Amino acid sequence: NAGVMQNPRHLVRRRGQEARLRCSPMKGHSHVYWYRQLPEEGLKFMVYLQKENIIDESGMPKERFSAEFPKEGPSILRIQQVVRGDSAAYFCASSTGQGFGPIIKQYFGPGTRLTVT
Amino acid sequence: RKEVEQDPGPFNVPEGATVAFNCTYSNSASQSFFWYRQDCRKEPKLLMSVYSSGNEDGRFTAQLNRASQYISLLIRDSKLSDSATYLCVSSYNQGGKLIFGQGTELSVKP
């Protein structure tokens, strides 16, 4: 399966613990995006990364959240000291990049459902 | 005001019906537009890009009116499998972050 892969699919954490969500982009894609969908809400952009570089983090909460996309390995979204309000579905998407010209499409992974107890 | 606004529905239609969804966007700098579908809050799946000249893919037709900042999706001959939430999406630049509407829920009944 050459699609976007995310793991774990389900993650349960107690308040105050750390959550690490992983995303491997589609083959041939070098750009990764993280989105969050809170219960009963729409999808909201969090962060956009290229290998070893954060392109746009305008949607990231100021504290406790960080993201990276190292030269080797998957992209990681890290949430420190989780709170109940962090319970949501976290989706990763990937694309070939940005610019002008043909429309660049983003393809989504199956998501990680984070539950904070 | 939300950047991308959609009628949340639900739209309940019989099989074979034609249904239209509308969407408006507030930022005139938006460059790219898409329709995604989401089943039971699973991952969004790209349905189609939306071009200024309008475009069609089988039973689905998308239209964009930049002057009115309005996007539409028409589904002809609805199937039971079309039941899903349809997400109107914009982007400021190619490959940049996607801005999602709240989604319009469609339920196609036998």
Side-chain angles (χ1 to χ4, degrees):
Chain A
N1 186 347
V4 179
M5 305 200 36
Q6 289 188 250
N7 65 80
R9 297 288 299 276
H10 299 274
L11 182 61
V12 180
R13 284 286 178 266
R14 290 200 182 95
R15 277 180 297 172
Q17 290 185 318
E18 179 179 286
R20 282 189 179 229
L21 288 61
R22 287 176 290 278
C23 170
S24 296
M26 192 178 279
K27 189 175 181 181
H29 288 186
S30 57
H31 293 243
V32 163
Y33 314 76
W34 287 93
Y35 295 84
R36 177 167 68 172
Q37 189 169 32
L38 293 166
E40 308 305 320
E41 293 193 17
L43 283 118
K44 296 284 195 295
F45 168 78
M46 299 181 77
V47 63
Y48 168 22
L49 310 105
Q50 198 181 358
K51 289 276 188 185
E52 300 184 287
N53 194 19
I54 296 176
I55 307 293
D56 180 355
E57 55 182 347
S58 58
M60 284 284 265
K62 295 285 186 279
E63 297 175 348
R64 303 188 296 108
F65 286 72
S66 62
E68 62 175 3
F69 190 13
K71 189 176 179 181
E72 301 291 336
S75 174
I76 307 281
L77 178 68
R78 183 181 176 209
I79 311 172
Q80 294 178 290
Q81 298 175 319
V82 295
V83 300
R84 288 227 172 99
D86 297 331
S87 295
Y90 292 82
F91 291 102
C92 170
S94 73
S95 80
T96 55
Q98 69 176 146
F100 297 95
I103 289 184
I104 294 169
K105 300 170 185 175
Q106 293 184 26
Y107 297 91
F108 283 76
T112 294
R113 266 88 179 150
L114 172 65
T115 302
V116 179
T117 61
Chain B
R1 183 185 173 188
K2 290 187 170 61
E3 281 205 58
V4 178
E5 296 216 53
Q6 298 180 247
D7 180 345
F11 283 53
N12 296 305
V13 303
E15 264 187 298
T18 295
V19 60
F21 302 137
N22 303 318
C23 165
T24 57
Y25 60 96
S26 61
N27 195 324
S28 59
S30 299
Q31 293 288 326
S32 304
F33 305 91
F34 308 90
W35 284 99
Y36 279 76
R37 69 173 277 170
Q38 187 175 32
D39 295 72
C40 302
R41 296 179 74 82
K42 294 182 179 177
E43 74 269 28
K45 292 187 177 171
L46 179 63
L47 185 63
M48 56 199 302
S49 306
V50 186
Y51 302 106
S52 295
S53 54
N55 48 300
E56 188 174 306
D57 183 0
R59 297 181 293 109
F60 300 84
T61 300
Q63 299 276 353
L64 167 64
N65 184 323
R66 287 190 186 272
S68 304
Q69 295 182 194
Y70 170 92
I71 304 158
S72 65
L73 176 69
L74 185 77
I75 305 175
R76 290 181 298 278
D77 189 23
S78 300
K79 312 289 184 194
L80 296 176
S81 57
D82 293 334
S83 296
T85 296
Y86 288 82
L87 305 170
C88 179
V89 184
S90 73
S91 178
Y92 298 136
N93 61 309
Q94 298 282 21
K97 67 182 183 185
L98 298 180
I99 299 157
F100 285 83
Q102 285 287 95
T104 299
E105 187 182 341
L106 172 67
S107 179
V108 181
K109 306 290 188 188

